[in-house]
Amino acid sequence: MTIRIGVIGAGGMGREHIKNLAAIDGVEVMVVADIDATAALDAAGLCDAAASTDAADVAADSRLDGVVIASPDDTHADLTIVAVERGRFVLCEKPLASVVADAERVVAAEATAGRPLVQVAFMRQYDPAHLQVRSAMKELGLVRHVRAVHRNTNHQWERPLDLVLSQSLIHDVHTARWLTGTEFSSITTQVVSGPRPVEHVVLLGVMADGSTVTIEFVEAAYGYDVELEVTCERGMVTAPQPAQPVVRSEGAAHQHVGDDWFGRFSEAYRLEAEDWIAGIRAGEVRGPTSVDGLTAQRVVDAAIRSAVSGEREQV
């Protein structure tokens, strides 16, 4: 059976999904939508799909088995709800919504539909380095501490704190929940400003089981870099980083880091697409769910409140 997919959003993330989906046997990307007609046509040309400027029309298209939503964050919730109400499977880029109330609307719509339909694109759950950490830590007893560092070269965005949290650190929030198997109970946020609104952020989380989480974000000039380590009762696991060879020549040793997330997580995006399609074929959601998206958004909301109050906030 051919799985027919529509992709909403023709930017870098949408094009990444198109590339990966088009490479899967038995998958047809039928239509690509973007508010910019030229962008929609260009992206549609990657897979001989139709182009559209009507995102809601694509989300509701009865010909489709699944819809990828890679449009701007504030459109995610409404487009996901349109697709869910028509019984379509959805792969929604994070965040599930811009605010908690909209994420709650998505979860409610899915409950009304009567079956799981929404997967949130927390793709680190498919990253081989993260999976290696999860596998190795099982032999080391209970988790005591998770430390995640997110260094990003996209300082030209000049993003305020709410976007740093919802577009970057929300990945690390989900990673902490996924690795520990428990929820954030409280969180404290410390922000350092400088020439940019956000130069450095540190989140200190306490989980329901008493373990702790440190999440850091730094605007870095040298490249895109993600680190992960987990300390357990009987040892510590560190993710291999980066997954690139060390080249020695001309009196120096060099290891490529990269300057964006597409290179760092290319394998994770590919595996995510394959698993999403396999889930559609099986009639189920296999990856991070709408509830995962809502829960991560609640942690982000508490982190924003903590930055304002200067106090530890309950999640």
Side-chain angles (χ1 to χ4, degrees), residues 85-145:
E85 289 177 342
R86 273 69 172 185
R88 307 283 86 81
F89 282 93
V90 175
L91 177 61
C92 180
E93 270 303 321
K94 55 77 197 159
L96 179 61
S98 295
V99 295
V100 169
D102 284 344
E104 290 174 338
R105 289 197 298 117
V106 174
V107 172
E110 191 177 32
T112 299
R115 59 187 295 217
L117 291 167
V118 179
Q119 178 169 330
V120 180
F122 291 126
M123 81 294 176
R124 294 186 190 181
Q125 197 166 313
Y126 294 93
D127 174 48
H130 283 64
L131 288 167
Q132 288 170 12
V133 168
R134 192 167 191 250
S135 177
M137 60 187 271
K138 292 177 182 178
E139 306 299 322
L140 298 176
L142 295 176
V143 175
R144 295 304 190 198
H145 181 68

Side-chain angles (χ1 to χ4, degrees), residues 4-17:
R4 299 156 299 181
I5 302 298
V7 176
I8 300 174
M13 202 63 257
R15 294 168 73 93
E16 182 76 9
H17 285 301

Side-chain angles (χ1 to χ4, degrees), residues 12-30:
M13 202 63 257
R15 294 168 73 93
E16 182 76 9
H17 285 301
I18 290 169
K19 177 190 71 175
N20 289 323
L21 290 166
I24 301 173
D25 288 341
V27 173
E28 178 187 359
V29 178
M30 290 187 65

Side-chain angles (χ1 to χ4, degrees), residues 236-305:
M236 186 181 80
V237 185
T238 302
Q241 167 67 13
Q244 297 288 341
V246 177
V247 178
R248 289 179 170 84
S249 66
E250 299 179 354
H254 174 74
Q255 189 174 34
H256 180 72
V257 174
D259 60 3
D260 64 38
W261 55 92
F262 294 116
R264 169 62 182 82
F265 289 109
S266 59
E267 181 70 357
Y269 287 125
R270 185 185 67 79
L271 294 171
E272 175 187 60
E274 290 180 353
D275 196 45
W276 182 57
I277 293 299
I280 293 176
R281 291 190 182 279
E284 62 188 18
V285 174
R286 295 185 169 185
T289 66
S290 62
V291 173
D292 289 320
L294 168 59
T295 305
Q297 195 67 45
R298 285 175 171 159
V299 177
V300 165
D301 181 70
I304 293 171
R305 286 188 278 113

Side-chain angles (χ1 to χ4, degrees), residues 175-250:
T175 295
R177 295 181 58 246
W178 174 61
L179 289 175
T180 62
T182 189
E183 303 294 351
F184 283 81
S185 61
S186 65
I187 197 160
T188 304
T189 305
Q190 185 170 1
V191 181
V192 177
S193 299
R196 307 178 189 94
V198 177
E199 294 283 347
H200 189 188
V201 179
V202 178
L203 306 183
L204 301 175
V206 177
M207 309 302 281
D209 65 356
S211 60
T212 58
V213 174
T214 303
I215 299 174
E216 297 181 51
F217 172 89
V218 181
E219 288 286 17
Y222 70 90
Y224 180 84
D225 207 356
V226 168
E227 295 180 12
L228 174 66
E229 63 182 43
V230 180
T231 302
C232 303
E233 289 179 302
R234 299 188 297 275
M236 186 181 80
V237 185
T238 302
Q241 167 67 13
Q244 297 288 341
V246 177
V247 178
R248 289 179 170 84
S249 66
E250 299 179 354

